[in-house]
Amino acid sequence: MAIFDTFKRGLMKTAVALGRGIGGLFADVKTWDDAAFRKLEKELILADFGVTASRKIVENLRDRYQQGKLSGADDILQVAQADLCAMLAAGTRPMHTAPEGLTVVLMVGVNGSGKTTTAGKLASLWTARGKKVTLAACDTFRAAAAEQLKLWGERTGSQVVASNPGADAAAVAFDAVSSALARGSDYLVIDTAGRQHNQKGLMEELAKIRRIIRKRMPDAPHETLLTLDASIGTNAIAQAREFAAVSGASALVLTKLDGTGKGGAAAAVQDEFKLPILFVGLGETPGDLQPFSPELYSEAIFSCKDVNR
Ligand SMILES: Nc1nc2c(ncn2[C@@H]2O[C@H](COP(=O)(O)OP(=O)(O)O)[C@@H](O)[C@H]2O)c(=O)[nH]1
Ligand SMILES: [Mg+2]
């Protein structure tokens, strides 16, 4: 499937929800006054764009409209889409990788936010590009997590390093780095147990994993990816606010965008965490994890232009 179609399908619920609100607005409003712009701002906020991003977009639209630079609905939505895209592009960057050899990615996040699935889907993305991937099952808390990762290993032809339930997660991470280096893997993705920022023991375990892998590879991990469940909307932000700080996250993965009509949260999320979104989860199948593209994301959300009109 073309990548834009993956974005479009994944963000369909959001586009439809936004289209309903905005579509009504364009049908009702003949001349755009302050009240109309306020209504548009409200619709963007309802789609979880966040107050700051919504206000920025609407202020720019109002200025340009008053200067006579915008005429109809299509103009307005086109400019809103371009503004959203520019905002997102300013906040993102390519993934950090090792200058050569092994790139190590550490997954962190609360339970159920999509760490293990994302680790597996990253293996799928990278093996499809001919890369060699090792997966490390450092969620030794839940027996099912290692099993889940082993399935992804089989599915993608990736090596999986695991131990017994209850094993020391840092020891598994150390073995995984050694093994990935010995095997000449291009990527090592380390899955970890879900935790809350205030779970002292588990947060220490994360710090220990980091220390131990640095013993083997001083510049690792090259990225610490924090998974955020987009389907809980701006609650994901509240939930992860403190977590991001104490977990040493370097970038974000916005998962389950397909499960919500409030998928507009990317701008709010980048703004809140001052961290780039590097990947987005747009569905259940392996190909549904994609590198974040501000262009495709904005275009998919504003494909609401075609909904209900
Ligand atoms: N629809 C959808 N479901 C997802 C996505 N990412 C993860 N999930 C589901 O969310 C649930 C929890 O994911 P999991 O990776 O086990 O979370 P973890 O506890 O952080 O490791 C699983 O049922 C996944 O299939 C996504 O992008 N879209
Ligand atoms: Mg897991």
Side-chain angles (χ1 to χ4, degrees):
M1 189 187 297
I3 294 175
F4 177 61
D5 292 335
T6 306
F7 273 81
K8 198 167 170 185
R9 193 173 36 76
L11 287 159
M12 189 58 86
K13 283 187 185 158
T14 302
V16 168
L18 190 61
R20 270 199 203 108
I22 292 185
L25 196 56
F26 285 113
D28 292 348
V29 177
K30 294 287 168 272
T31 9
W32 281 68
D33 54 10
D34 273 354
F37 281 112
R38 267 199 303 279
K39 260 170 122 178
L40 177 60
E41 186 175 329
K42 198 181 115 214
E43 293 300 336
L44 295 180
I45 291 173
L46 280 175
D48 266 5
F49 276 56
V51 175
T52 317
S54 305
R55 193 164 291 159
K56 249 193 203 159
I57 290 174
V58 169
E59 269 168 16
N60 181 31
L61 285 174
R62 190 188 289 130
D63 285 353
R64 296 176 70 138
Y65 184 78
Q66 284 166 357
Q67 290 163 21
K69 289 183 184 159
L70 302 175
S71 50
D74 285 339
D75 267 7
I76 289 184
L77 292 178
Q78 206 65 50
V79 171
Q81 178 181 322
D83 275 1
L84 176 65
C85 180
M87 250 180 252
L88 292 167
T92 194
R93 59 161 172 81
M95 190 179 111
H96 292 147
T97 53
E100 56 178 12
L102 182 65
T103 292
V104 180
V105 176
L106 182 63
M107 304 299 309
V108 300
V110 300
N111 266 328
S113 57
K115 290 176 298 302
T116 307
T117 310
T118 300
K121 287 177 177 171
L122 283 173
S124 172
L125 191 70
W126 289 327
T127 50
R129 294 180 187 171
K131 303 292 181 188
K132 234 173 165 176
V133 180
T134 298
L135 294 167
C138 292
D139 179 356
T140 52
F141 226 58
R142 287 175 49 238
E147 294 313 314
Q148 202 181 337
L149 213 57
K150 281 178 190 162
L151 284 177
W152 280 105
E154 281 167 27
R155 192 183 286 173
T156 61
S158 304
Q159 177 197 26
V160 179
V161 177
S163 186
N164 302 321
D168 179 15
V172 179
F174 187 81
D175 287 349
V177 178
S178 304
S179 187
L181 284 170
R183 179 175 175 261
S185 286
D186 300 294
Y187 292 96
L188 166 63
V189 189
I190 301 177
D191 186 30
T192 65
R195 66 202 75 216
Q196 300 287 345
H197 68 277
N198 53 4
Q199 284 175 303
K200 204 159 169 283
L202 277 169
M203 290 316 280
E204 280 166 3
E205 180 187 273
L206 203 56
K208 189 173 164 199
I209 291 177
R210 210 183 276 284
R211 272 200 312 277
I212 292 258
I213 55 183
R214 284 195 177 138
K215 281 194 179 153
R216 201 71 181 73
M217 263 191 103
D219 58 340
H222 302 88
E223 292 284 4
T224 300
L225 295 182
L226 172 62
T227 47
L228 291 180
D229 178 347
S231 70
I232 59 172
T234 36
N235 282 334
I237 297 181
Q239 187 184 65
R241 194 170 281 139
E242 290 169 78
F243 193 98
V246 290
S247 65
S250 61
L252 306 168
V253 181
L254 208 50
T255 63
K256 309 188 204 180
L257 275 169
D258 54 304
T260 175
K262 291 166 165 282
V269 160
Q270 281 197 168
D271 193 49
E272 168 69 29
F273 292 104
K274 307 288 180 237
L275 290 175
I277 296 170
L278 294 187
F279 297 95
V280 282
L282 297 158
E284 305 259 23
T285 68
D288 287 335
L289 185 87
Q290 288 293 331
F292 181 51
S293 156
E295 290 79 17
L296 299 183
Y297 173 88
S298 310
E299 195 182 340
I301 287 205
F302 280 100
S303 59
C304 66
K305 288 199 284 286
D306 315 324
V307 179
N308 287 343
R309 290 188 45 226

